[in-house]
Amino acid sequence: MQAWPFPQLPKLPGQGRNLRVLDTAHGGVRTLDLGPTVRLYACGITPYDATHLGHAFTYLTYDLVQRVLRDAGHEVRYVQNVTDVDDPLLERATRDGIDWRDLARREIDLFRADMTALRILPPDHYVGVVEAVGLIVDMVSQLVERGAAYSVDGDLYFSVAAAPDFGQVAHLDPAQMLVSCAEHGGDPGRPGKKDPLDPLLWRAERPGEPSWPSPFGPGRPGWHVECSAIARHYLGATIDIQGGGSDLAFPHHECSAAHAEVANGARPFARAYVHTALVSLDGHKMSKSRGNLEFVSRLLARGADPAAIRLALLQHHHTVEWEWTAAAMPAAVERLDRWRAAVALPSGPDFRPVLAEVRDRLADDLDAPGALAAVDAWAAAALAAGSGSGEADDQAPATVRDTVDALLGVDLGPVLPRGT
Ligand code: 5CA
Ligand code: ZN
């Protein structure tokens, strides 16, 4: 399906550093060993409700990853899926009395509009499960051939015992795995399974549910295998970075990796697993199922500047959980005003230290708060000096504006013609 438009990306002087990032599977921050082309996969939305700020924070993480990688001279191939058929989507459509396809279409359109407003770099391939059923059936068939699948009353399950590295993504102990499995769409208590953790690969047709033909009978894909199959088709058997919110580490990324590794015969599935910490509201993780949400579209409808929403998110490190509060927007607007005023000056302090610092901060595990502090310091110095500083550089405002645009994705507005 169609993604959303690619925003402008100014070219900056010089080149950025290699990315160091917290890799969940490795258990620490490390410099990624990347080739000229980096293959990135981020798990996309289940389109049954509008984009909340938690989703936006997660997609901002992979936007920053791409900006840092591109600035360091890499080409990025980026794929994102859409879980456009799954239990929560079907349940919501039934509850609201609308067709599940119409619900998905409406929410995907809204997501695209939100991503465009926030200037999130789009994927090269934006792929819905419905359009990828053939790829998914191929992967499930291979898992069946490899003896890694079995049937429980017609539903196909993957045997985690077939995956030697199962557990190496999230590093949970067995009791934690069971809890997390039950909380995230698994069915550890279902009788007839070989291991309570075995995930569903193919769900046999139920009355009133959408289904597709397959060699294992009509039905629909299980959740985890959609990402393994889509990633393999568009990026190959081994990818560089698998991303998503930290709620996806287990069981989703663990199981997607296990499916891919057994089907492809290549380990590991992803060289690094980058997870975004969850955003809360009213003391709980923002979630569609709980309903404690603040939507990007609602903020925009109330007249919020999308650049200010982006700044409000950038104020947080992607590995630290945080809570959205009403104070976030006024603070971001105030910062945005300061930055806009500073880049509108005819000259300002040398741009090189701030460019170097923003690059270094972002390459160091996407330290967005550190990058904001560097721009704050430059803007404060520029505004304090006004236009009369003897040390001032008349290229600085434009280059800082480009730095903030290219690396942080924040649009500070057009360059004012000289003399205005
Ligand atoms: N379609 C699946 C992935 S294949 C899914 O998890 N969809 S989702 O709509 O529930 O979430 C979309 C993305 O937003 C996921 O990466 C998820 O981890 C992330 N996410 C969900 N809630 C939050 C939150 N409160 N804070 C940060 N990220 C979140
Ligand atoms: Zn996924």
Side-chain angles (χ1 to χ4, degrees):
M1 56 178 71
Q2 192 79 18
W4 54 93
F6 201 95
Q8 63 170 346
L9 202 58
K11 182 92 188 85
L12 299 173
Q15 188 165 306
R17 289 211 328 235
N18 289 338
L19 179 64
R20 296 171 75 239
V21 76
L22 177 61
D23 169 5
T24 307
H26 174 75
V29 176
R30 64 187 187 89
T31 303
L32 301 183
D33 181 17
L34 301 167
T37 301
V38 178
R39 284 153 304 171
L40 169 67
Y41 184 97
C43 283
I45 55 163
T46 305
Y48 68 91
D49 213 338
T51 318
H52 61 62
L53 289 165
H55 300 135
F57 189 56
T58 283
Y59 297 111
L60 178 65
T61 303
Y62 309 100
D63 167 277
L64 293 178
V65 164
Q66 290 176 79
R67 289 174 189 273
V68 171
L69 292 172
R70 287 169 181 274
D71 185 51
H74 295 280
E75 199 186 301
V76 182
R77 283 171 59 198
Y78 176 33
V79 176
Q80 189 180 127
N81 69 307
V82 185
T83 308
D84 57 0
V85 58
D86 201 7
D87 298 347
L89 172 74
L90 299 174
E91 283 159 17
R92 179 65 62 92
T94 304
R95 187 197 80 176
D96 295 353
I98 56 172
D99 188 280
W100 60 277
R101 283 160 291 218
D102 292 336
L103 174 60
R105 210 172 297 125
R106 186 181 82 199
E107 298 308 332
I108 294 164
D109 282 346
L110 194 53
F111 179 71
R112 286 192 191 100
D114 293 342
M115 293 295 103
T116 306
L118 294 177
R119 303 174 96 233
I120 302 285
L121 300 185
D124 301 297
H125 297 280
Y126 191 45
V127 188
V129 170
V130 169
E131 60 191 356
V133 169
L135 304 176
I136 299 166
V137 167
D138 286 350
M139 185 170 272
V140 175
S141 301
Q142 279 176 344
L143 292 170
V144 171
E145 280 161 27
R146 300 211 194 310
Y150 62 93
S151 166
V152 178
D153 300 331
D155 295 329
L156 275 188
Y157 280 85
F158 175 80
S159 178
V160 297
D165 286 349
F166 190 82
Q168 296 302 303
V169 173
H171 298 290
L172 298 187
D173 65 40
Q176 292 171 314
M177 285 193 210
L178 277 175
V179 171
S180 191
C181 176
E183 283 175 353
H184 296 102
D187 56 359
R190 182 168 180 181
K193 286 171 62 172
K194 291 184 182 166
D195 185 313
L197 297 174
D198 288 348
L200 187 68
L201 283 171
W202 187 259
R203 178 175 156 91
E205 183 176 31
R206 307 290 201 271
E209 287 190 1
S211 72
W212 289 262
S214 84
F216 359 96
R220 59 183 168 94
W223 174 26
H224 317 299
V225 70
E226 75 189 51
C227 290
S228 333
I230 293 171
R232 170 170 82 175
H233 182 77
Y234 292 96
L235 295 173
T238 305
I239 67 171
D240 293 294
I241 301 171
Q242 161 72 295
S246 61
D247 57 332
L248 297 188
F250 196 93
H252 184 53
H253 288 167
E254 195 77 63
C255 292
S256 289
H259 297 331
E261 288 169 11
V262 174
N264 302 340
R267 290 189 271 163
F269 164 58
R271 296 203 171 93
Y273 292 83
V274 175
H275 290 117
T276 305
L278 299 181
V279 182
S280 297
L281 182 71
D282 302 332
H284 295 278
K285 169 202 144 182
M286 263 189 219
S287 78
K288 292 182 272 205
S289 45
R290 183 178 273 271
N292 57 330
L293 305 170
E294 182 55 273
F295 298 114
V296 174
S297 46
R298 185 152 63 195
L299 292 173
L300 293 172
R302 287 193 204 126
D305 183 334
I309 302 175
R310 197 168 159 117
L311 271 183
L313 299 171
L314 283 165
Q315 215 178 301
H316 300 275
H317 193 276
H318 80 285
T319 59
V320 182
E321 292 189 356
W322 57 283
E323 173 129 1
W324 177 263
T325 66
M329 285 304 292
V333 167
E334 201 255 329
R335 173 178 262 141
L336 189 60
D337 287 347
R338 266 188 285 123
W339 289 12
R340 284 190 170 144
V343 300
L345 291 169
S347 63
D350 187 1
F351 69 82
R352 280 165 295 202
V354 61
L355 171 57
E357 183 67 4
V358 171
R359 276 184 164 140
D360 284 357
R361 290 296 85 237
L362 289 178
D364 184 10
D365 199 21
L366 307 173
D367 177 11
L372 298 199
V375 180
D376 280 343
W378 180 89
L383 291 167
S387 52
S389 160
E391 299 292 315
D393 167 359
D394 64 1
Q395 288 305 307
T399 309
V400 172
R401 197 195 55 248
D402 284 353
T403 300
V404 168
D405 185 346
L407 295 176
L408 295 170
V410 175
D411 182 7
L412 296 181
V415 196
L416 297 175
R418 288 284 157 81
T420 56

